[in-house]
Amino acid sequence: MISAHLPVLQVALPLLGAVLCAMLHRGNWAWAVALVVSWTMPFIAGSLLLQVVANGPISYALGGWLPPWGIEYRVDVVNAFVLVLVSCVGAVIMPYARLSVASEIAPERQAWFYAMYLLCLCGLLGITITDDAFNAFVFLEISSLSAYVLIALGRDRRALLAAYQYLILGTIGATFYVIGVGLLYTMTGTLNLVDIAGRIDAIESTRPILAALAFLTVGISLKLALFPLHVWLPNAYAYAPSVATAFLAATATKVAIYLLLRFFFSVFGVGFVFDTLPVTTIFLALSIAAMFGASIVAVFQEDVKRMLAYSSVAQIGYITLGIALANQTGLTGGIVHLFNHAIMKSALFLVLGAVFYRIGSVKIQELAGIGYRMPITMGAFVIAGLGIIGTPGTAGFISKWYLALGALEAGDWWIVFLLVGSSVISILYIGRVVEVAWFRPVGETAKAASDPPHSMMIPALVLVAATVYFGIDADLTVGVAAQAAQTLLEGLK
Amino acid sequence: MDFLHEIAAHYNHWITVFLMVSGLYIVVARGNMVKKLVGLSLFQTSVYLLYISPAKILGGTAPIISEQFEVYSNPLPHVLILTAIVVGVATLALGLALVVRINEAYGTIEEDEIFAEDEDE
């Protein structure tokens, strides 16, 4: 009975949990609610993924209104994979959150923090699971509005400014998205993505459809922080509370990438987007600019959180590179990297949160010698950092390997050199932190530090262990990603 | 003459585009944070027109099943925009709340003055 309603529970539970958190007012109680809700999510997402892999797509008619008239929740391999990723990250971070939030956020605001966290989780899962273009817009705004609040809860006053700037750019992005959906609706008369996909072939070269594609691409690219549209990201990640940074870095941009994949491959179709239009060229150029530009900027950052934020922009470049290649192997690489980067980056941000918990700063000059005082924490930083660089034996290597194979398959061998080149730059910025933390005498600020309590250490270590595990045994991630890539390339028709 | 007729026939779209572009221009060109939000609202509001004006059919009624009425306007865009209005109000409210907090923290809501203050630190 209940298993038939799993798709809607995936979204409804965090929504109800958020309301409950807001009513409880006590930080610890709200945390307990958020913990229970976020720990149920991976079970729901996992069982959906298993069902989908075994029996094919699940369609759920919301409120009993049959698609295409009602809102349809449709789960296939692609979004089940993203659901698992988002809900697992959300669950792993929660035990960590209690101490970190208690130390960074005023007591009367802690319950609101958890309410916003669950609301954001609800929005992100909703975008992923829904098959209705306008419903996705509503969830996009739910997740964005709560993300602005999460960022504004940071201690520094610059967090307010970062949240404001993100609000302006995020709203422009969402409005572009809704303009695109409006144009699609005027031309096809439907909002159901499968239904649009079925009707778009006959009219695909008309001007409103081209305009719709352009608006959707720019709007979603703002949300996923594609290179020239990434300006909101570094400040937002740098000044947000540690828990919010780790959560948003791992999930928000990834869900936007999923939405782009959905529109490019499932709705408009590979032939139209990549063969008729010069999307490959544009995305290749922007991805490569991100891989190099953002990495180089990252090397010169003084604030380590900001450094990792720029690194995120660069890593998103790898994912969009996989999309631009638009062949089976490249797309697999892109989707695997979507998963791997989420794990590695949230591990790194959790480690930084632990450092902030102990010494109250993540400025690079204050980390001198901290490796000797917080050996497990900074050891975790080194391993996750090796993952970002793409060292063999870590998850980062697997995704870059598939991206390189995809580039060769597309006949663009020069991209392989660029992949290596950009990895070399990431050695510089990760290496800079490692050098300061491990090869300098213990500084004033680092003296009193020690490894954080288990509730903070274990979630970070779980993610680091996943970085190593998925680097050695990639059958699970690559298997599902390859199936997802195949589903996307085949389209919905 | 045909050209003018073409423009006049789509006057609703021209209004939409004018509002859209002027809203976006205000967001980009103004340094005052409240004015930026006003521009953002204008930009969002233009989208309401984009949805609703094609949905209205001249001489159409509300969608009532009856033999008397054959032409009716599409109700769905109106409902969608009702949702979009709620989203717009929420965004504006949150944006203004942030501006209030920024004013408390920095003592100004002019972007250039705020950037100058942050650089001094």
Side-chain angles (χ1 to χ4, degrees), chain B residues 94-114:
Chain B
L94 180 60
L96 288 173
L98 282 173
V99 173
V100 170
R101 290 281 310 279
I102 287 171
N103 191 31
E104 284 168 8
Y106 287 88
T108 173
I109 54 167
E110 295 291 335
E111 262 187 347
D112 45 353
E113 292 172 16
I114 291 172

Side-chain angles (χ1 to χ4, degrees), chain A residues 223-311:
Chain A
K223 285 284 176 191
L224 68 81
L226 185 65
F227 176 60
L229 305 173
H230 70 282
V231 283
W232 57 266
L233 186 142
N235 281 338
Y237 284 11
Y239 302 121
S242 307
V243 175
T245 308
F247 178 63
L248 293 174
T251 55
T253 47
K254 307 297 177 291
V255 167
I257 291 168
Y258 158 76
L259 201 59
L260 189 72
L261 285 171
R262 199 40 112 200
F263 273 99
F264 273 9
F265 291 90
S266 304
V267 175
F268 288 96
V270 192
F272 176 55
V273 176
F274 293 98
D275 297 341
T276 321
L277 297 171
V279 172
T280 299
T281 322
I282 297 170
F283 266 68
L284 266 186
L286 296 180
S287 306
I288 291 164
M291 281 155 53
F292 283 89
S295 296
I296 291 169
V297 176
V299 176
F300 298 101
Q301 294 303 314
E302 290 306 313
D303 184 315
V304 182
K305 258 173 114 179
R306 224 175 131 86
M307 170 189 290
L308 292 179
Y310 274 107
S311 150

